[in-house]
Amino acid sequence: MNLPVPVVTIGLLLASNIFMTFAWYGHLKHKAAPLAIVIAVSWGIAFFEYVLQVPANRIGYGHFSAAQLKTIQEVISLSVFAVFSWAYLGEKLTWQHGVGFALICLGAWFVFHDWG
């Protein structure tokens, strides 16, 4: 089955961002762990982010511009992080987060809008 390029690209970017969010922030629940161990584990997790991110960009480039790929990645990254910070770290999401995210989405709309 051949999936459309946007579906494959966005799916890979979503999966890669889940790995990267855990690599960058997962250790915050384990503050007693030695920093060297945390760095090594984070690198190990980040490897899988790259295994997904690089093909996502290769597959998506041409259908999307580089700026559009980066915009998609950033919107996905913030979406994944919002869920992660709430579900994993137990942080509260406030209206300020919502407004900030809406402004970022507005910026993404400008990147994707064809002004002719």
Side-chain angles (χ1 to χ4, degrees), residues 12-82:
L12 288 170
L13 289 173
L14 177 62
S16 75
N17 272 281
I18 292 169
F19 279 105
M20 202 58 182
T21 299
F22 274 96
W24 283 5
Y25 301 102
H27 61 88
L28 296 178
K29 283 184 81 170
H30 310 283
K31 290 191 144 205
L35 187 56
I37 300 289
V38 167
I39 291 169
V41 169
S42 292
W43 277 0
I45 296 169
F47 169 79
F48 296 101
E49 185 267 346
Y50 284 98
V51 167
L52 298 166
Q53 178 85 21
V54 171
N57 288 329
R58 284 246 175 150
I59 292 165
Y61 187 66
H63 183 86
F64 298 110
S65 69
Q68 289 173 328
L69 283 169
K70 184 59 178 173
T71 302
I72 293 166
Q73 189 275 330
E74 292 299 335
V75 170
I76 289 171
S77 179
L78 287 171
S79 300
V80 167
F81 184 77

